[in-house]
Amino acid sequence: MAIRELVPVIDIERQIFLIRGHKVMIDRDLAGLYQVPTKVLNQTIKRNQDRFPEGFMFRLSRQETLELVTNCDRFMKLKHSSATPFAFTEYGVAMLSSVLRSKRAIRINIQIIQTFIRLRQWALTHKDVARKIAELENKIKTHDKHIQNIFEALHELINPPEQPRKS
């Protein structure tokens, strides 16, 4: 049974960032998707800390937060905030469905996980396409050399070297 989209996939994709080598979502964005205050989301996480081991989420450093503010206007409130936001990896987002039990939270989680999976598949396809392009470039280089040799041979046939005249 297909899940009707609550949020356009493109909106979810725009909320996924690459931080510390991980694709993550920021607590504020997740709270917005779940339609709960960020404070409530973070309190729920705090009450269920054992469900969020290292690798599921991490707190951004002050520098990472400022970079986020610089790149995204919607995080402007974080610029002067004393607390830095949490970043949730794909595993952390998946675990959120076990602590946020509303129907909306479950449906949004399914959408987010599907988006993470699609982005991973796209990245794998992208690597495969890049490899194939590199192979074609190498073939073209070889073909260019052969074509240049053909043109040189044709040029010699059309314009043979002049024979010295006998006097």
Side-chain angles (χ1 to χ4, degrees), residues 85-151:
F86 285 107
F88 292 82
T89 66
E90 183 177 351
Y91 304 118
V93 171
M95 187 57 73
L96 281 172
S97 66
S98 71
V99 295
L100 299 172
R101 295 190 177 101
S102 72
K103 288 196 181 291
R104 179 178 177 83
I106 292 166
R107 291 172 63 197
I108 287 291
N109 256 49
I110 291 168
Q111 272 191 263
I112 293 170
I113 297 302
Q114 288 172 335
T115 302
F116 271 107
I117 290 167
R118 201 172 77 238
L119 287 174
R120 187 172 35 255
Q121 289 169 338
W122 182 86
L124 291 173
T125 301
H126 178 72
K127 285 180 185 176
D128 191 42
V129 169
R131 183 183 51 77
K132 288 180 181 179
I133 288 172
E135 288 173 6
L136 283 172
E137 286 176 340
N138 286 335
K139 285 182 183 178
I140 289 171
K141 286 177 187 175
T142 304
H143 290 229
D144 283 349
K145 290 176 188 172
H146 292 306
I147 291 170
Q148 183 63 37
N149 290 339
I150 291 169
F151 278 123

Side-chain angles (χ1 to χ4, degrees), residues 6 8 17-18 23 42 59 66 88 122 130 137 157 166:
L6 296 177
F17 298 94
L18 187 63
K23 289 186 177 91
N42 288 333
R59 187 175 288 280
L66 292 176
F88 292 82
W122 182 86
E137 286 176 340
L157 288 173
K166 294 181 182 177

